[in-house]
């Protein structure tokens, strides 16, 4: 696959909170912090994250976490100690371990930034124990259930009167499924990320931390549907999945996509989280005998350890091997 032109993605000028606010919850966070001794430092920290191209979702989450933390500290950053951090963590003690770990990470990152900028002599997080998150297995959805939801949106061979936004939804969610991509990654795809040369179709997916991976589009039915969507929408450049019906808007947001997915699942009588599409794809590859390393690259994980959990699920390939071994043993009796 030859290198393709890097898509010209829209960027927001970074000035204070400009790059990280806009929704009502984001504006509410600004209102809470207004006048707080930590407000300026949190503002500077989030601006630096935006300038460093950290994911928007990360910045949004950190802003909310630091806003909640600020309620436990009345002074400026120079007087920040472990006590308010413990109070903050104590307040969220009943939340899920993964949530508490993320919120602790937000405060830790802020403190590390303050030390680097000589606003703190040492990070008070050094006195706070880490939060261990119990290892859990992902919950992949059954292929039949996923197919039922997708077909409920529209057929892979849709009628000409199917609205473009409905066709968009089918292609968006099927892209997440057949590529094993995060919904946020798919929402951020551009037409320029596609290479649809016959028999060698690929897509570039922009993942966490600015990483980019190339994914083979090896499902012919999906590729045909994708080509139809491009023809019906008329998109030749820019966001692949757009928020507005007329196609002149920006990318569809993750929240909007997740809301639409829940609606389609409810209509199909299925309980499938949008992230389970990614798990389902990984599990299917495991069952087909695809190597852990190949799956790691396709999903964009940094370590094969993250992928190995899928092998601990109902592994059809392993089950078939065990059944075959038992039949051989029984035939020798």
């Amino acid at each position: 696959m030859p290198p393709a032109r890097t898509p010209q993605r829209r960027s927001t000028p970074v000035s204070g909170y400009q790059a990280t606010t806009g929704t009502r919850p984001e504006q509410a966070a600004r209102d809470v912090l207004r006048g707080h001794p930590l407000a300026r430092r949190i503002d500077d920290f989030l601006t630096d994250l935006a300038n460093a191209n950290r994911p928007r979702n990360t910045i949004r989450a950190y802003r909310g976490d630091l806003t909640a933390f600020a309620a436990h500290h009345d002074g400026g950053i120079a007087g920040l100690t472990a006590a308010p951090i413990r109070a903050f963590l104590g307040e969220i003690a009943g939340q899920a371990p993964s949530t508490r770990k993320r919120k602790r990470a937000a405060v830790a990152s802020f403190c590390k930034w303050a030390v680097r900028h000589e606003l703190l002599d040492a990070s008070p997080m050094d006195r706070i124990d880490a939060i261990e998150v119990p290892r859990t297995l992902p919950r992949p959805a059954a292929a039949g259930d996923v197919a039922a939801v997708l077909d409920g949106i529209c057929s892979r061979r849709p009628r000409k009167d199917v609205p473009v936004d409905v066709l968009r939804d089918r292609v968006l969610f099927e892209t997440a499924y057949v590529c094993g991509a995060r919904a946020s990654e798919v929402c951020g795809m551009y037409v320029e990320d596609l290479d649809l040369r016959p028999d060698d179709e690929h897509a570039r997916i922009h993942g966490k931390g600015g990483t980019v991976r190339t994914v083979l589009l090896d499902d012919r039915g999906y590729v045909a549907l994708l080509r139809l969507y491009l023809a019906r929408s008329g998109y030749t450049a820019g966001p692949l999945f757009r928020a507005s019906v007329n196609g002149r808007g920006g990318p569809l947001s993750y929240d909007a996509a997740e809301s639409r997915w829940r609606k389609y699942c409810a209509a199909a009588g299925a309980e499938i989280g949008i992230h389970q599409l990614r798990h389902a794809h990984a599990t299917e590859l495991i069952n087909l005998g695809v190597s852990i390393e190949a799956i790691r690259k396709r999903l964009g994980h940094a370590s094969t350890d993250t992928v190995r959990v899928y092998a601990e699920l109902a592994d059809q390939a392993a089950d078939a091997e065990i059944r075959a071994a038992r039949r051989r043993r029984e035939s020798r009796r």
Side-chain angles (χ1 to χ4, degrees):
M1 178 179 178
R5 180 174 66 86
T6 302
Q8 298 299 311
R9 298 171 182 268
R10 294 182 182 178
S11 59
T12 307
V14 177
S15 175
Y17 277 99
Q18 282 187 17
T20 60
T21 59
T23 66
R24 289 182 179 177
E26 291 166 346
Q27 184 61 47
R30 290 188 66 183
D31 292 342
V32 170
L33 279 176
R34 186 172 286 115
H36 193 284
L38 288 179
R40 176 189 167 191
R41 301 306 183 187
I42 293 176
D43 185 58
D44 291 344
F45 167 65
L46 296 176
T47 299
D48 283 355
L49 290 183
N51 281 326
N53 291 324
R54 292 292 297 276
R56 182 180 178 87
N57 288 343
T58 299
I59 298 173
R60 182 186 296 115
Y62 276 20
R63 182 187 55 253
D65 297 338
L66 292 174
T67 299
F69 164 70
H72 296 272
H73 182 65
D74 296 330
I77 195 167
L80 184 59
T81 65
I85 299 175
R86 290 195 180 96
F88 170 59
L89 295 177
E91 181 183 70
I92 62 173
Q95 298 181 10
S98 58
T99 301
R100 290 188 287 116
K101 183 174 182 178
R102 189 208 72 213
K103 294 184 176 184
R104 182 192 184 281
V107 180
S109 183
F110 176 58
C111 291
K112 183 177 179 181
W113 172 88
V115 171
R116 191 170 71 249
H117 288 269
E118 299 181 347
L119 301 173
L120 278 173
D121 293 332
S123 173
M125 293 302 298
D126 294 340
R127 302 180 181 181
I128 305 295
D129 291 339
I131 296 174
E132 297 294 332
V133 178
R135 185 184 181 191
T136 58
L137 293 177
R139 296 185 301 111
D145 293 339
V146 174
V149 178
L150 292 177
D151 288 341
I153 301 174
C154 72
S155 168
R156 261 194 174 183
R157 295 183 178 180
R159 296 169 43 171
K160 292 183 179 180
D161 60 353
V162 171
V164 174
D165 62 329
V166 173
L167 183 58
R168 173 204 64 193
D169 290 350
R170 165 83 199 222
V171 177
L172 186 152
F173 298 126
E174 190 155 1
T175 300
Y177 180 47
V178 303
C179 295
R182 301 174 180 89
S184 57
E185 295 172 340
V186 176
C187 288
M189 290 180 67
Y190 273 50
V191 177
E192 293 91 334
D193 291 323
L194 301 174
D195 182 349
L196 298 181
R197 290 176 296 172
D199 300 322
D200 192 29
E201 295 90 350
H202 288 77
R204 282 197 312 276
I205 297 178
H206 298 255
K208 290 183 176 181
T211 61
V212 181
R213 64 188 186 277
T214 301
V215 174
L216 174 68
L217 305 178
D218 56 337
D219 186 319
R220 309 313 305 168
Y222 161 74
V223 171
L225 185 66
L226 176 59
R227 291 183 186 276
L228 176 63
Y229 168 64
L230 291 172
R232 288 277 309 275
S233 66
Y235 299 160
T236 58
L240 180 58
F241 303 109
R242 307 185 188 188
S244 61
V245 176
N246 60 23
R248 292 195 292 268
L252 188 72
S253 70
Y254 171 84
D255 290 342
E258 199 272 338
S259 175
R260 297 183 74 82
W261 174 252
R262 281 191 281 107
K263 181 192 74 172
Y264 291 125
C265 285
E271 294 185 6
I272 303 173
I274 195 169
H275 198 67
Q276 287 180 265
L277 295 174
R278 177 172 163 89
H279 296 328
H281 179 73
T283 303
E284 288 178 17
L285 294 182
I286 287 286
N287 290 333
L288 289 171
V290 179
S291 71
I292 294 291
E293 177 60 19
I295 298 173
R296 180 195 70 78
K297 290 181 179 180
R298 189 170 179 88
L299 271 61
H301 285 303
S303 170
T304 56
D305 291 340
T306 308
V307 183
R308 291 185 193 281
V309 297
Y310 295 107
E312 299 178 15
L313 299 171
D315 190 334
Q316 295 173 6
D319 290 350
E321 185 175 338
I322 292 171
R323 290 191 180 103
R326 284 178 175 170
R327 284 194 294 268
R328 289 194 299 270
R329 181 187 64 186
E330 291 171 357
S331 66
R332 290 194 294 266
R333 290 179 177 176

